[in-house]
Amino acid sequence: MIYNLAIYLYLLGVVIYSRFNEKVRKMWRGEREAFKILREKVDPNAKYVWFHAASLGEFEQGRPLMEQLRKEHPEYKILLTFFSPSGYEVRKNYEGADIITYLPLDTITNARRFLRTVRPVMAFFIKYEFWYNYLHILKHRGVPVYSVSSIFRPDQVFFKWYGRQYGRVLNCFTHFFVQNEQSKDLLAKIGITDTTVVGDTRFDRVLQIKAAAKQLPVVEAFVKDAPHVFVAGSSWLPDEEIFIKYFNEHKDWKLIIAPHVIDEDHLEQIEKLLAGRKVFRYTEAESQLSTDTSQFSTAEVLIINCFGLLSSIYHYGQVAYVGGGFGVGIHNLLEAAVWDVPVFFGPNNQKFQEAQGLKTSGGFEITGYDDFALQMNRFSSDTNYLQEQGCKAGHYVKGQAGASQKVLSSVAL
């Protein structure tokens, strides 16, 4: 079969590329170690529910389900697998799962060995994961398999004439819990009707994150007495060139920048764009905070040069910007919108359901500086409008919550 040939060619590419790329090397090493981890940790008398997430974003979508399942059904143990190092390396110590490992590559031999070792009683594949051999063997064994927060578009291979053979993998799922009606309709056109529109479990997750937000003394000292605060999260250089230009001309706003990449070269690029503004980096400010807070009264820009704080930082702003929309695609809009703030984002957002929803609910797509400046000028001059758009964004997030409960209430546990 062409799929299996492609998998082996991919494997060959991974082996070769792992010699030159640290991320690929971690993935390759992790996949080879997966069976050792399973042999050591699998309890043959336990009932395992398997959750598979490609990376960190999909993990966040599956997390509310895992935690609710663990709370309501402690008789099950949870196996969590990742495909990407960007998920596994960040969450390999997550306490909400009993076993965490990479998923071995989808060869027939690996799939049989993996499922023979774990023997899951059910499986949840988050969003885009459609591994042909794993899914066919799960179906053959009679194991219920659910696709959660999945979303489908007409340009995907399943709906093309040349993708019909691979598209049969979709018949292996017991049920699809999809994000929207379009996905349900597309599946129906190829004969798949075991679908329910429940929305996206990420809405549940961002509400959890908001409830557990951290207090950040450095940020609190920075924003103290500031009339206006703008927070830019997960920004890239094309984003920064737009909003920094505006705030270099409008210095009544304090600016917090949490760039997506925090290596020294990028931090220096940002500081160069800020053209002589009084800038602090978070880690430097943190080390000085206990001795002198007066310095923050005149600080204009705070650069977050560490990870793990962004979801809490949005709380301190009146307006937010989420980066990626001028390149790879926007990052997590919901982490900002949940705080009742209007959110800017770039034009590469068509594949993101939440962006389409926010466009009429406190979210603002921009294509360049002029769009951004026009909207920011209105926010600056009309406080009521600013608050109204922020409330719309927060209301949108709250109104979309509840997908996790809908999924679990529909699954036979």
Side-chain angles (χ1 to χ4, degrees), residues 75-149:
E75 68 272 23
Y76 294 107
K77 289 195 172 185
I78 292 176
L79 166 67
L80 171 62
T81 60
F82 288 97
F83 179 73
S84 169
S86 58
Y88 176 80
E89 297 298 333
V90 174
R91 294 302 182 193
K92 59 187 176 184
N93 297 316
Y94 170 59
E95 295 181 354
D98 298 281
I99 303 174
I100 303 173
T101 183
Y102 281 94
L103 180 67
L105 195 63
D106 187 30
T107 66
I108 295 175
T109 300
N110 281 348
R112 286 174 176 165
R113 185 180 175 191
F114 179 92
L115 295 171
R116 189 166 52 242
T117 303
V118 178
R119 299 186 182 277
V121 296
M122 68 181 68
F124 293 87
F125 280 51
I126 310 302
K127 197 172 182 178
Y128 285 139
E129 291 298 88
F130 306 106
W131 295 110
Y132 193 93
N133 292 314
Y134 280 103
L135 287 166
H136 275 84
I137 296 171
L138 283 166
K139 183 179 180 181
H140 177 73
R141 290 174 174 234
V143 178
V145 185
Y146 304 98
S147 178
V148 177
S149 290

Side-chain angles (χ1 to χ4, degrees), residues 5 51 102 116 122 135 171 184 193 195 210 224 238 251 254 257 268 280 299 303 337 346 363 369-370 398 406 411:
L5 175 60
F51 285 85
Y102 281 94
R116 189 166 52 242
M122 68 181 68
L135 287 166
N171 293 308
K184 183 177 180 179
T193 57
T195 59
K210 180 181 180 182
K224 186 179 179 181
K251 298 184 179 181
K254 283 200 170 187
I257 307 173
E268 289 179 0
F280 281 93
I303 298 176
Y369 176 79
D370 291 342
K398 298 177 185 71
K406 292 175 184 176
V411 171

Side-chain angles (χ1 to χ4, degrees), residues 116-304:
R116 189 166 52 242
T117 303
V118 178
R119 299 186 182 277
V121 296
M122 68 181 68
F124 293 87
F125 280 51
I126 310 302
K127 197 172 182 178
Y128 285 139
E129 291 298 88
F130 306 106
W131 295 110
Y132 193 93
N133 292 314
Y134 280 103
L135 287 166
H136 275 84
I137 296 171
L138 283 166
K139 183 179 180 181
H140 177 73
R141 290 174 174 234
V143 178
V145 185
Y146 304 98
S147 178
V148 177
S149 290
S150 44
I151 187 166
F152 294 92
R153 301 180 306 277
D155 61 350
Q156 288 173 303
V157 65
F158 313 111
F159 311 110
K160 304 294 186 179
W161 64 266
Y162 52 80
R164 288 174 187 167
Q165 184 178 24
Y166 175 66
R168 293 172 188 162
V169 71
L170 300 181
N171 293 308
C172 296
F173 286 93
T174 306
H175 201 89
F176 287 86
F177 296 99
V178 298
Q179 291 190 33
N180 57 24
E181 289 289 343
Q182 182 192 44
S183 298
K184 183 177 180 179
D185 292 342
L186 285 169
L187 290 173
K189 288 179 180 178
I190 58 173
I192 296 174
T193 57
D194 289 322
T195 59
T196 304
V197 179
V198 298
D200 191 343
T201 51
R202 279 187 305 165
F203 290 92
D204 301 329
R205 177 62 189 145
V206 295
L207 288 168
Q208 288 178 341
I209 292 171
K210 180 181 180 182
K214 306 170 186 175
Q215 285 189 306
L216 303 172
V218 168
V219 182
E220 289 174 0
F222 174 73
V223 303
K224 186 179 179 181
D225 301 325
H228 309 293
V229 178
F230 182 91
V231 178
S234 300
S235 61
W236 297 77
L237 187 59
D239 306 301
E240 292 147 4
E241 288 174 336
I242 291 173
F243 64 74
I244 288 176
K245 177 181 177 181
Y246 181 86
F247 291 109
N248 280 343
E249 299 171 359
H250 298 80
K251 298 184 179 181
D252 52 329
W253 285 78
K254 283 200 170 187
L255 179 58
I256 301 175
I257 307 173
H260 187 75
V261 176
I262 58 171
D263 62 34
E264 186 61 29
D265 288 344
H266 188 201
L267 297 177
E268 289 179 0
Q269 282 180 315
I270 294 171
E271 290 169 346
K272 185 176 180 180
L273 287 173
L274 287 164
R277 308 288 298 278
K278 187 171 183 180
V279 178
F280 281 93
R281 295 186 184 185
Y282 184 91
T283 54
E284 297 168 349
E286 191 176 34
S287 65
Q288 301 175 36
L289 183 62
S290 60
T291 58
D292 182 15
T293 60
S294 61
Q295 59 188 314
F296 291 103
S297 62
T298 56
E300 298 173 285
V301 182
L302 179 63
I303 298 176
I304 310 301

